[in-house]
Each structure stands twice: as C-alpha cells, then as structure tokens.
C-alpha cells in the first residue's frame, strides 16, 4: 500500500516536471518511478491513517503563521545589518523539547532557524541548542511559542 | 504596464533587497554564527520573493509550477543547510562572539 502510494506520487511528480506524454517518456517514467519507489517508500510515508492526513492539514494551517514570522525575521535582520551601531548581543540557549517524532523535531528546528533572531545549532534527543542574536530572542526561545504550535500538530 | 507587471516588479525588488541585506550582513556581522542569521533567513526570503515574482510574471503554466516546487525546496533546504553548517562549526569548537570577548571578531 505504501509502495503503491509512493509510486503514484512519484509518477505525478514526474509528469508535473516533464509535461510530455510520448510513449518512450511515459515508459521511462513508470520504470524510474518503480525504482525510486522501491528505495524510498519506507521513508516517504511514515504512516497512512486518518490522523496522518489530519496532521498534514494542521501543518498547512501552521504555514501562514510561519510565513508571517519569516517576514518579521527578515525585517529584523535587515534592521540589525543596516543600523550603524549593530545592536546585537549573541547568546547560546539550551532548551528541552517534548516533541517525539523526527518530523516534528525537523519542523521545529527549521522553524526556529527561519523565525526572528534564532538559528538551531543542534538537536540531540530532546535537547535543542539555539544561537540567538539578541537577549530578547533568547527569551522568545525559552517561552517555547513555536514548540507549542508544533506540539498541537503532532498530537 | 499591467497590474501583474507592477506586482512582479515589487516582488523582484523586495527579493533583491533582502538578497542585498544578506550580502551586507555577511560582511558586517562580527562572527560566523551571526553571519548564519543573515545567510539563513534573508537568503530564503529573498530567493522566495524573486521566484514568486517570476511565477506571477509567467502566469499559470508548467514553468511556474516548477518554480513553485523550487520555491518549496529552498524553504526546506536553506534552513537545513544553515543548521548543518552551524552544527559543524559548533562541533569544531568555535566560540560565539559577544560584547565581552570581541577580540576574535
């Protein structure tokens, strides 16, 4: 089941990229999708269930907030970089996370990197090490706003 | 100039602005980790805005679909790469810059 879904997804992706439907291209699409699906179907879909599909929609609902934070982050970086005094006070922050899945931790790490003033340095088991560019941003990480949002998706 | 051209222009200019900020940040910021902030964030949005601008210009077609896919990949790949480089630096024992020990800057 996983294998077939992966195969179909890869096939759709191929046709999205190529846009051609001659015999030779369709044949090679099927062959390559079969090969690629064989190697990746265990990683591509972790679980196919109603909860898993619901999680995808929750994640999509999370994206607008993330985009807004990214724009704020960029304006702050622009301000810091362009102001003559350069108001920075870098700091390393270590926090714990309650997230269980690898997908959740990846989403958290990348969200931290993209949101204002913070870059994820390391995630090991449940420990996260973050570099914050100012003291205020270090405080934001300690408040765990992002983590709470992702926890709600994972649940 | 149609309204789509104006939107394209604004998106391209904003994207270029953030790419420029990323470049200036690379030069001006004092150490490796703070430079990651410029490279990891401003680059992502800069490229994203430029791609969005091109998508608006192109309209709905296979080409704009491909550009949207590239846009998504950059949004996943850029922070991941930033994290990988930062982790390598941290494991390598690079100390962070601060106001107190700014001799290394």
């Amino acid at each position: 089941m996983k294998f077939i879904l992966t195969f179909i997804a890869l096939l759709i992706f191929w046709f999205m990229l190529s846009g051609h439907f001659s015999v030779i291209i369709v044949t090679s699409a099927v062959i390559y999708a079969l090969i690629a699906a064989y190697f990746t179907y265990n990683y591509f879909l972790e679980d196919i269930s109603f909860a898993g599909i619901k999680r995808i929609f929750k994640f999509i609902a999370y994206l607008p907030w993330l985009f807004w934070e990214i724009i704020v982050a960029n304006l702050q970086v622009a301000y810091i970089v362009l102001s003559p005094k350069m108001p920075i006070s870098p700091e390393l922050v270590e926090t714990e996370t309650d997230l269980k899945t690898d997908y959740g931790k990846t989403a958290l790490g990348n969200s931290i990197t993209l949101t204002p003033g913070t870059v994820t340095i390391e995630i090991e088991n449940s420990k996260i090490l973050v570099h914050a560019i100012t003291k205020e941003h270090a405080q934001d990480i300690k408040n765990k706003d992002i983590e709470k949002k992702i926890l709600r998706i994972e649940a | 100039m149609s309204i789509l051209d104006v939107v394209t222009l604004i998106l391209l200019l904003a994207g270029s602005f953030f790419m420029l900020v990323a470049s200036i940040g690379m030069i001006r910021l004092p150490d490796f980790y703070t430079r990651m902030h410029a490279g990891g964030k401003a680059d992502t949005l800069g490229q994203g805005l430029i791609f969005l601008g091109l998508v608006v210009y192109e309209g709905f077609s296979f080409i704009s679909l491909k550009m949207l896919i590239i846009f998504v990949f950059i949004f996943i790949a850029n922070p991941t790469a930033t994290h990988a480089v930062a982790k390598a630096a941290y494991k390598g024992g690079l100390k962070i810059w601060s106001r107190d020990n700014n001799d290394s800057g």
Side-chain angles (χ1 to χ4, degrees):
Chain A
M1 185 63 186
K2 267 187 190 177
F3 181 81
I4 294 166
L5 279 177
T6 312
F7 171 70
I8 292 169
L10 286 169
L11 209 57
I12 292 171
F13 191 60
W14 171 294
F15 287 123
M16 253 160 61
L17 291 182
S18 93
H20 295 284
F21 293 94
S22 67
V23 177
I24 182 131
I25 285 177
V26 172
T27 318
S28 46
V30 170
I31 292 169
Y32 286 123
L34 275 174
I35 296 171
Y38 175 74
F39 284 116
T40 55
Y41 72 98
N42 256 331
Y43 317 105
F44 183 66
L45 297 163
E46 216 165 51
D47 65 321
I48 357 171
S49 59
F50 181 67
I53 293 163
K54 220 169 116 190
R55 207 170 291 148
I56 292 171
F57 282 107
K58 277 184 182 168
F59 183 72
I60 290 169
Y62 161 77
L63 287 177
W65 177 84
L66 184 65
F67 276 110
W68 172 246
E69 287 293 301
I70 289 168
I71 291 167
V72 173
N74 278 281
L75 292 175
Q76 287 187 1
V77 168
Y79 169 72
I80 288 169
V81 165
L82 299 176
S83 67
K85 274 189 185 158
M86 205 123 63
I88 57 171
S89 48
E91 202 178 312
L92 283 178
V93 197
E94 202 176 271
T95 57
E96 298 265 327
T97 175
D98 301 324
L99 291 165
K100 297 279 180 297
T101 59
D102 287 346
Y103 279 108
K105 285 178 195 167
T106 311
L108 177 65
N110 278 1
S111 300
I112 287 174
T113 299
L114 286 171
T115 49
T118 47
V119 166
T120 314
I121 292 179
E122 189 167 36
I123 300 184
E124 208 149 327
N125 299 324
S126 66
K127 280 205 171 61
I128 307 178
L129 191 64
V130 175
H131 182 270
I133 202 164
T134 70
K135 296 260 186 296
E136 293 79 53
H137 294 128
Q139 194 54 48
D140 287 350
I141 289 297
K142 286 172 193 153
N143 291 343
K144 296 188 173 186
D145 291 337
I146 304 169
E147 192 187 333
K148 280 173 204 151
K149 281 181 196 293
I150 296 177
L151 263 177
R152 231 174 291 151
I153 299 170
E154 205 181 52
Chain B
M1 237 167 38
S2 71
I3 191 96
L4 281 182
D5 286 346
V6 178
V7 174
T8 306
L9 198 66
I10 291 168
L11 286 171
L12 287 180
L13 280 176
S16 313
F17 170 74
F18 283 118
M19 294 298 275
L20 183 68
V21 163
S23 313
I24 295 173
M26 282 287 170
I27 300 167
R28 282 205 70 203
L29 289 167
D31 83 332
F32 176 80
Y33 293 110
T34 45
R35 282 175 184 159
M36 301 254 51
H37 287 270
K41 293 193 238 300
D43 261 25
T44 315
L45 188 68
Q47 287 164 344
L49 286 173
I50 288 173
F51 272 117
L52 277 187
L54 293 174
V55 167
V56 171
Y57 182 75
E58 175 67 25
F60 190 79
S61 70
F62 266 120
I63 296 170
S64 59
L65 190 64
K66 283 177 206 171
M67 286 195 290
L68 275 178
I69 292 169
I70 297 172
F71 172 76
V72 171
F73 281 157
I74 286 174
F75 259 88
I76 301 169
N78 211 336
T80 310
T82 304
H83 164 67
V85 178
K87 182 173 177 173
Y90 180 73
K91 292 267 178 186
L94 190 65
K95 295 271 181 296
I96 68 160
W97 180 92
S98 71
R99 289 263 178 240
D100 313 318
N101 63 344
N102 55 5
D103 47 307
S104 64

PDB file of all heavy atoms in Angstrom, chain A residues 125-141:
ATOM      1  N   ASN A 125      18.351  14.085  20.738  1.00  0.00           N
ATOM      2  CA  ASN A 125      17.250  13.532  21.526  1.00  0.00           C
ATOM      3  C   ASN A 125      16.255  14.634  21.849  1.00  0.00           C
ATOM      4  O   ASN A 125      15.567  15.102  20.969  1.00  0.00           O
ATOM      5  CB  ASN A 125      17.770  12.829  22.761  1.00  0.00           C
ATOM      6  CG  ASN A 125      18.685  11.671  22.379  1.00  0.00           C
ATOM      7  OD1 ASN A 125      18.440  11.009  21.388  1.00  0.00           O
ATOM      8  ND2 ASN A 125      19.745  11.470  23.125  1.00  0.00           N
ATOM      9  N   SER A 126      16.192  15.095  23.094  1.00  0.00           N
ATOM     10  CA  SER A 126      15.200  16.126  23.381  1.00  0.00           C
ATOM     11  C   SER A 126      15.859  17.466  23.710  1.00  0.00           C
ATOM     12  O   SER A 126      15.185  18.406  24.097  1.00  0.00           O
ATOM     13  CB  SER A 126      14.306  15.679  24.536  1.00  0.00           C
ATOM     14  OG  SER A 126      15.068  15.602  25.707  1.00  0.00           O
ATOM     15  N   LYS A 127      17.165  17.566  23.524  1.00  0.00           N
ATOM     16  CA  LYS A 127      17.857  18.826  23.825  1.00  0.00           C
ATOM     17  C   LYS A 127      18.053  19.632  22.541  1.00  0.00           C
ATOM     18  O   LYS A 127      18.465  19.100  21.527  1.00  0.00           O
ATOM     19  CB  LYS A 127      19.230  18.540  24.447  1.00  0.00           C
ATOM     20  CG  LYS A 127      19.176  18.196  25.914  1.00  0.00           C
ATOM     21  CD  LYS A 127      20.505  18.531  26.573  1.00  0.00           C
ATOM     22  CE  LYS A 127      20.409  18.414  28.075  1.00  0.00           C
ATOM     23  NZ  LYS A 127      20.055  17.043  28.509  1.00  0.00           N
ATOM     24  N   ILE A 128      17.738  20.926  22.630  1.00  0.00           N
ATOM     25  CA  ILE A 128      17.936  21.800  21.479  1.00  0.00           C
ATOM     26  C   ILE A 128      18.896  22.907  21.876  1.00  0.00           C
ATOM     27  O   ILE A 128      18.733  23.544  22.920  1.00  0.00           O
ATOM     28  CB  ILE A 128      16.621  22.454  21.032  1.00  0.00           C
ATOM     29  CG1 ILE A 128      15.554  21.393  20.800  1.00  0.00           C
ATOM     30  CG2 ILE A 128      16.826  23.241  19.760  1.00  0.00           C
ATOM     31  CD1 ILE A 128      14.247  21.991  20.414  1.00  0.00           C
ATOM     32  N   LEU A 129      19.894  23.143  21.038  1.00  0.00           N
ATOM     33  CA  LEU A 129      20.831  24.234  21.268  1.00  0.00           C
ATOM     34  C   LEU A 129      20.577  25.289  20.201  1.00  0.00           C
ATOM     35  O   LEU A 129      20.591  24.991  19.011  1.00  0.00           O
ATOM     36  CB  LEU A 129      22.261  23.711  21.191  1.00  0.00           C
ATOM     37  CG  LEU A 129      23.353  24.659  21.650  1.00  0.00           C
ATOM     38  CD1 LEU A 129      23.188  24.948  23.130  1.00  0.00           C
ATOM     39  CD2 LEU A 129      24.708  24.051  21.395  1.00  0.00           C
ATOM     40  N   VAL A 130      20.325  26.522  20.647  1.00  0.00           N
ATOM     41  CA  VAL A 130      19.936  27.578  19.726  1.00  0.00           C
ATOM     42  C   VAL A 130      20.876  28.765  19.892  1.00  0.00           C
ATOM     43  O   VAL A 130      21.227  29.123  21.018  1.00  0.00           O
ATOM     44  CB  VAL A 130      18.474  28.019  19.996  1.00  0.00           C
ATOM     45  CG1 VAL A 130      18.098  29.202  19.122  1.00  0.00           C
ATOM     46  CG2 VAL A 130      17.519  26.878  19.755  1.00  0.00           C
ATOM     47  N   HIS A 131      21.281  29.359  18.779  1.00  0.00           N
ATOM     48  CA  HIS A 131      22.044  30.602  18.823  1.00  0.00           C
ATOM     49  C   HIS A 131      21.080  31.751  18.585  1.00  0.00           C
ATOM     50  O   HIS A 131      20.412  31.811  17.562  1.00  0.00           O
ATOM     51  CB  HIS A 131      23.127  30.597  17.744  1.00  0.00           C
ATOM     52  CG  HIS A 131      23.973  31.818  17.760  1.00  0.00           C
ATOM     53  ND1 HIS A 131      23.672  32.930  17.032  1.00  0.00           N
ATOM     54  CD2 HIS A 131      25.108  32.108  18.439  1.00  0.00           C
ATOM     55  CE1 HIS A 131      24.598  33.856  17.251  1.00  0.00           C
ATOM     56  NE2 HIS A 131      25.476  33.387  18.097  1.00  0.00           N
ATOM     57  N   ALA A 132      21.001  32.657  19.574  1.00  0.00           N
ATOM     58  CA  ALA A 132      20.115  33.811  19.449  1.00  0.00           C
ATOM     59  C   ALA A 132      20.968  35.053  19.244  1.00  0.00           C
ATOM     60  O   ALA A 132      22.030  35.194  19.844  1.00  0.00           O
ATOM     61  CB  ALA A 132      19.251  33.968  20.694  1.00  0.00           C
ATOM     62  N   ILE A 133      20.474  35.952  18.389  1.00  0.00           N
ATOM     63  CA  ILE A 133      21.309  37.105  18.036  1.00  0.00           C
ATOM     64  C   ILE A 133      21.188  38.221  19.074  1.00  0.00           C
ATOM     65  O   ILE A 133      22.091  39.025  19.223  1.00  0.00           O
ATOM     66  CB  ILE A 133      20.995  37.586  16.598  1.00  0.00           C
ATOM     67  CG1 ILE A 133      22.174  38.375  16.020  1.00  0.00           C
ATOM     68  CG2 ILE A 133      19.725  38.396  16.534  1.00  0.00           C
ATOM     69  CD1 ILE A 133      22.118  38.536  14.528  1.00  0.00           C
ATOM     70  N   THR A 134      20.055  38.282  19.818  1.00  0.00           N
ATOM     71  CA  THR A 134      19.969  39.231  20.927  1.00  0.00           C
ATOM     72  C   THR A 134      19.356  38.529  22.139  1.00  0.00           C
ATOM     73  O   THR A 134      18.800  37.446  22.035  1.00  0.00           O
ATOM     74  CB  THR A 134      19.073  40.450  20.595  1.00  0.00           C
ATOM     75  OG1 THR A 134      17.715  39.990  20.530  1.00  0.00           O
ATOM     76  CG2 THR A 134      19.453  41.105  19.296  1.00  0.00           C
ATOM     77  N   LYS A 135      19.458  39.202  23.292  1.00  0.00           N
ATOM     78  CA  LYS A 135      18.908  38.639  24.536  1.00  0.00           C
ATOM     79  C   LYS A 135      17.398  38.409  24.440  1.00  0.00           C
ATOM     80  O   LYS A 135      16.867  37.434  24.956  1.00  0.00           O
ATOM     81  CB  LYS A 135      19.184  39.594  25.700  1.00  0.00           C
ATOM     82  CG  LYS A 135      20.660  39.780  26.001  1.00  0.00           C
ATOM     83  CD  LYS A 135      21.107  38.936  27.187  1.00  0.00           C
ATOM     84  CE  LYS A 135      22.549  39.251  27.576  1.00  0.00           C
ATOM     85  NZ  LYS A 135      23.523  38.905  26.517  1.00  0.00           N
ATOM     86  N   GLU A 136      16.705  39.343  23.750  1.00  0.00           N
ATOM     87  CA  GLU A 136      15.245  39.221  23.645  1.00  0.00           C
ATOM     88  C   GLU A 136      14.857  37.957  22.873  1.00  0.00           C
ATOM     89  O   GLU A 136      13.904  37.261  23.233  1.00  0.00           O
ATOM     90  CB  GLU A 136      14.641  40.445  22.944  1.00  0.00           C
ATOM     91  CG  GLU A 136      14.736  41.746  23.712  1.00  0.00           C
ATOM     92  CD  GLU A 136      16.114  42.384  23.615  1.00  0.00           C
ATOM     93  OE1 GLU A 136      16.600  42.571  22.493  1.00  0.00           O
ATOM     94  OE2 GLU A 136      16.715  42.657  24.681  1.00  0.00           O
ATOM     95  N   HIS A 137      15.603  37.673  21.815  1.00  0.00           N
ATOM     96  CA  HIS A 137      15.294  36.478  21.036  1.00  0.00           C
ATOM     97  C   HIS A 137      15.569  35.209  21.831  1.00  0.00           C
ATOM     98  O   HIS A 137      14.855  34.221  21.701  1.00  0.00           O
ATOM     99  CB  HIS A 137      16.089  36.477  19.733  1.00  0.00           C
ATOM    100  CG  HIS A 137      15.678  37.575  18.805  1.00  0.00           C
ATOM    101  ND1 HIS A 137      16.568  38.448  18.261  1.00  0.00           N
ATOM    102  CD2 HIS A 137      14.459  37.928  18.355  1.00  0.00           C
ATOM    103  CE1 HIS A 137      15.905  39.306  17.498  1.00  0.00           C
ATOM    104  NE2 HIS A 137      14.628  39.012  17.553  1.00  0.00           N
ATOM    105  N   ALA A 138      16.609  35.251  22.665  1.00  0.00           N
ATOM    106  CA  ALA A 138      16.883  34.112  23.541  1.00  0.00           C
ATOM    107  C   ALA A 138      15.690  33.860  24.456  1.00  0.00           C
ATOM    108  O   ALA A 138      15.288  32.718  24.703  1.00  0.00           O
ATOM    109  CB  ALA A 138      18.141  34.379  24.357  1.00  0.00           C
ATOM    110  N   GLN A 139      15.080  34.958  24.917  1.00  0.00           N
ATOM    111  CA  GLN A 139      13.912  34.834  25.794  1.00  0.00           C
ATOM    112  C   GLN A 139      12.733  34.210  25.050  1.00  0.00           C
ATOM    113  O   GLN A 139      12.016  33.383  25.597  1.00  0.00           O
ATOM    114  CB  GLN A 139      13.540  36.226  26.342  1.00  0.00           C
ATOM    115  CG  GLN A 139      12.575  36.187  27.500  1.00  0.00           C
ATOM    116  CD  GLN A 139      13.081  35.291  28.633  1.00  0.00           C
ATOM    117  OE1 GLN A 139      14.230  35.394  29.057  1.00  0.00           O
ATOM    118  NE2 GLN A 139      12.235  34.398  29.110  1.00  0.00           N
ATOM    119  N   ASP A 140      12.561  34.592  23.783  1.00  0.00           N
ATOM    120  CA  ASP A 140      11.476  34.014  22.968  1.00  0.00           C
ATOM    121  C   ASP A 140      11.591  32.500  22.889  1.00  0.00           C
ATOM    122  O   ASP A 140      10.589  31.790  22.924  1.00  0.00           O
ATOM    123  CB  ASP A 140      11.506  34.593  21.549  1.00  0.00           C
ATOM    124  CG  ASP A 140      11.023  36.026  21.514  1.00  0.00           C
ATOM    125  OD1 ASP A 140      10.489  36.470  22.554  1.00  0.00           O
ATOM    126  OD2 ASP A 140      11.177  36.688  20.482  1.00  0.00           O
ATOM    127  N   ILE A 141      12.830  32.009  22.738  1.00  0.00           N
ATOM    128  CA  ILE A 141      13.032  30.562  22.651  1.00  0.00           C
ATOM    129  C   ILE A 141      12.656  29.905  23.970  1.00  0.00           C
ATOM    130  O   ILE A 141      12.014  28.849  23.999  1.00  0.00           O
ATOM    131  CB  ILE A 141      14.505  30.258  22.301  1.00  0.00           C
ATOM    132  CG1 ILE A 141      14.789  30.638  20.860  1.00  0.00           C
ATOM    133  CG2 ILE A 141      14.824  28.782  22.507  1.00  0.00           C
ATOM    134  CD1 ILE A 141      13.992  29.864  19.849  1.00  0.00           C
TER     135      ILE A 141
END
